[in-house]
Amino acid sequence: NIIVDETTLKRFFELPGSIFKKLTGKRIKNNYAAYTKATVIRNETTWFKPRQLCKATCCVRTVAISMEQDKHKIINTVDGNDVADLVLQQYNRRRNHLKFHANFLREEMIPCILPGTIIEIHNYLNIIKYFRSVIRPKMVHPYVLITQQSDINTPLDRKLLSDPLLMKLHGTNPAVIRKNFRPINLGLSSQHPQEKFIFPYLQINKFINPFTNNKDRWDFSKHPFDFDKDVFIHFSRRRKWRDRLWI
């Protein structure tokens, strides 16, 4: 195990402004999907042979997706799209630079859904109601559900957890405890410039995780919370060069 001395790690507000000043006001994307950064193999190679799978009126073709880009990927609110097979959106928030392997779920695709299909739904009530009233009654195979892309509690519709076809529900901000519900991290916002500032900061600290050992160090029931020592990143610690950080 690597022994981490968290006292040697720089806090975000301790770094010189010159490191981040070049990022302010420039057209640098707020965040990236893992698939955006991935190498995607679609054609046959010595180690990969694509397959075409057809059911009902639908056909899909297998691809190989690299995993190296996940090594230092920061969790954000579009990660559900990265692992999903099908997506239902209440709001069209896809950016041109965000690419995903998942397809938008349309009603005519329902007969094609295979057992274990992963479906990601925006965590908003209208689109969840649409799924439960229109999509789900026509499904016949077990499925996995991800609700994400909002900071609302999960599940918004608790009847989802009683669905006999639901294998597992993964969602942010858990409001219940159930065997078939697994909480996931909220992650960084995909709407605000956070990742483009945090990633260089993590690079400077060599992507060291200060929480990997000495768990008692982070148990604030055992010692008082000290903002300067216990917080690594806090955007409100303003300096003159950060006045336009959020613009």
Side-chain angles (χ1 to χ4, degrees):
N1 294 334
I2 299 175
I3 304 300
V4 177
D5 180 6
E6 54 84 18
T7 61
T8 65
L9 300 181
K10 293 286 188 181
R11 270 54 173 175
F12 186 86
F13 58 83
E14 294 176 332
L15 299 177
S18 58
I19 295 174
F20 301 98
K21 193 172 183 179
K22 61 182 178 181
L23 301 176
T24 305
K26 289 194 174 183
R27 291 181 174 271
I28 298 175
K29 307 304 182 185
N30 292 344
N31 58 12
Y32 287 91
Y35 186 75
T36 309
K37 297 283 191 177
T39 299
V40 181
I41 306 298
R42 293 182 172 86
N43 300 319
E44 183 173 344
T45 69
T46 56
W47 54 270
F48 173 68
K49 293 184 178 181
R51 292 185 301 149
Q52 183 166 294
L53 308 174
C54 296
K55 182 184 179 185
T57 59
C58 305
C59 289
V60 296
R61 188 174 174 85
T62 59
V63 298
I65 302 174
S66 64
M67 298 184 68
E68 180 63 25
Q69 72 282 347
D70 295 335
K71 187 175 182 180
H72 298 305
K73 182 72 178 68
I74 303 174
I75 296 172
N76 63 47
T77 56
V78 296
D79 285 344
N81 288 37
D82 261 326
V83 299
D85 302 303
L86 298 169
V87 173
L88 273 178
Q89 293 185 311
Q90 180 157 316
Y91 303 105
N92 183 14
R93 289 178 175 169
R94 285 201 170 182
R95 309 293 197 272
N96 290 333
H97 73 285
L98 293 177
K99 306 296 182 183
F100 301 100
H101 186 57
N103 291 298
F104 291 108
L105 175 56
R106 302 185 303 276
E107 289 183 49
E108 61 266 26
M109 298 169 65
I110 297 175
C112 310
I113 295 177
L114 299 172
T117 294
I118 302 174
I119 303 173
E120 195 267 353
I121 304 179
H122 276 186
N123 195 31
Y124 294 98
L125 193 56
N126 287 344
I127 195 66
I128 290 176
K129 284 183 176 180
Y130 170 76
F131 171 78
R132 199 165 65 82
S133 62
V134 177
I135 301 294
R136 171 56 188 87
K138 300 176 183 178
M139 293 172 58
V140 296
H141 293 299
Y143 66 98
V144 175
L145 193 62
I146 300 173
T147 58
Q148 206 181 13
Q149 301 202 44
S150 87
D151 55 6
I152 305 171
N153 290 346
T154 304
L156 276 175
D157 187 344
R158 299 193 181 191
K159 292 181 181 179
L160 289 170
L161 294 172
S162 302
D163 184 356
L165 290 184
L166 178 67
M167 300 170 65
K168 190 79 71 175
L169 170 61
H170 301 262
T172 53
N173 293 340
V176 298
I177 299 175
R178 296 286 191 278
K179 288 184 177 180
N180 60 348
F181 174 53
R182 184 179 180 86
I184 57 177
N185 293 319
L186 183 62
L188 299 182
S189 170
S190 60
Q191 309 299 313
H192 304 289
Q194 298 175 335
E195 183 172 322
K196 71 178 183 181
F197 292 100
I198 294 177
F199 193 82
Y201 163 74
L202 295 177
Q203 283 182 310
I204 291 168
N205 278 333
K206 300 179 180 180
F207 298 98
I208 294 174
N209 182 354
F211 311 109
T212 53
N213 56 281
N214 191 16
K215 298 298 176 65
D216 288 341
R217 163 70 180 83
W218 308 106
D219 185 350
F220 299 116
S221 65
K222 298 180 179 179
H223 63 86
F225 176 80
D226 185 316
F227 185 91
D228 287 335
K229 294 181 179 180
D230 299 331
V231 174
F232 287 88
I233 299 173
H234 192 271
F235 287 124
S236 293
R237 277 299 191 89
R238 297 220 172 209
R239 290 181 177 178
K240 186 176 181 180
W241 61 269
R242 288 205 185 99
D243 286 346
R244 298 186 69 254
L245 184 66
W246 296 102
I247 298 176

